[in-house]
Amino acid sequence: MNIINAAAYARYSSDNQREESLSAQLNAIKDYCQKKGYILTNVYTDEAKTATNDHRKGFQQMITDSELKLFNVVVVHKFDRFARNRYDSASYKRKLKINKVRLESVLEQLDDSPESVILESVLEGMAEYYSKNLAREVRKGLLENAKAGIHNGGRTPYGLKVNPITRKYEIDETRYKAVQMYFNGVAAGIPLAEIARRINAEGFRTYTGDKFKVTSFDTWANNRKYKGDYAWDVATKKDAEGKRNSHAKKPIEEQTIIPGVIPAIIPTELWERVNALMKERQRTGGSMTAKETYLLSGKITCGSCGANYFGEGYNSRGRHYAYYKCSGKCGNNGVDKYKLEKMISEMLEKTCFSEEGMEEIKDNVKKLYADRKKNIDSEIAPIKNEIRKLELKIDNWLELIGEGTPDKRLFAQKVSEANERKTLLESQLTKMNVIASSQTIDEAILIKVLKAKKDQLLSSNEEDRKQVFKEYVDKVVINTVNDQTIIELCVRCFNGGGEGICTPVSKSCHKSVYACILYFKFRQS
Ligand SMILES: [Zn+2]
């Protein structure tokens, strides 16, 4: 087995109160190295009084030492510790790469450089593609489980439990009566708050040990497991933040439902009645207020004061207006939301998602993919390990909560944090498995994935479009020159792209960071 030597680099500036201390960063790095089996050989630190007075002697020493092959990996707590900005970061990373030293972060699996973001995005698309088209055996296995009433992972509904040996669902004798009280209550027209009060009065508590509230029942009326049916494969695809929306479900005709394999808590007739009642209530309750989606939120900075732009809409004389405005109140021009988004969408179409653009992305992703494949096995093992450990911890904490520990709030918080971390790790694992399972990337699939991404850009679903903006727009800077609004757009792209329709004033292409910068005049009217 190869011995991997690691260097730790930590940086702290005392004017930023929210940073982890040097020793906290170093401890996290030590743990990380131990987990991955690295030998920590060198430690470099920088402590700055202010961020501007930042000579970073330790950092420079580390870069110099990397030439001497003293270590194979540099580990930081977070990637933002490594360099002060992305362009700085790209050039130092190249130096490390030349010296055959790689950079890893304790908290993030991949850095946020444009090339990584795009590789991640493509891998995600491929993982989805494989899970739909190729991983039939896995799905078949899950389906077999469902048919036998065996737990497939995921949260167990309140009132049911999973037998640790058979993995089958069973009725939770200590809790199922609360579920019956809810269904009977709704059917009898009792308000939800009153139902919650009665359930609490009987001494029932939620899984986290809290009293029931109206919102505790959100998914109950929809849960087919209560009438004994195993509804499998019900989750919708992930939202813009990459999280699954646990409340949004596929339409019933797309779900796989296996009736009667779970012991029923609620008779079918009662379940159907309550389900219909709650649907009706949701349909009529509350008027839908249209929520504006700002596709560029977090991407725009002000060219004159450096603050972020934010989205703001208002109604006037029966019309709706929406703008991006400088949060620094420096007086720099605001820009019309719809016009700017339309322009940038068209720019993306002409650069990243042109035929040549997609070819370029394909070629570069292939290279990045081959690079990552070299280390993939050593990356997968620690992730699997951490997931297993998290699962054990979660079980332990839930048990403590169930036993009524006085620190139940603390433990409930720990459980939810651990679950979040677990979800993140699992999604990384899926992507890594894509890399590990195939020798080379399948070009045809890759192009399909990119075309699907283009369709997503052109779709009418705002959340879908926002996701594409999030991945492919690096940054937008708004400048005012001679009363003209000049937009500086940096797209994550591997080629220079076309001239665009927005009169580029000048164009420079930073091949080194695979980001293309286009300048164009913005016509307000
Ligand atoms: Zn400003």
Side-chain angles (χ1 to χ4, degrees), residues 349 351-360 447 451 454:
E349 218 184 315
T351 53
C352 304
F353 297 105
S354 65
E355 289 294 322
E356 315 87 73
M358 288 193 285
E359 279 295 312
E360 286 268 353
I447 287 291
K451 284 194 171 146
K454 183 179 180 177

Side-chain angles (χ1 to χ4, degrees), residues 302 304-307 326 328 330 332:
C302 173
S304 68
C305 78
C326 175
C330 72
N332 199 358

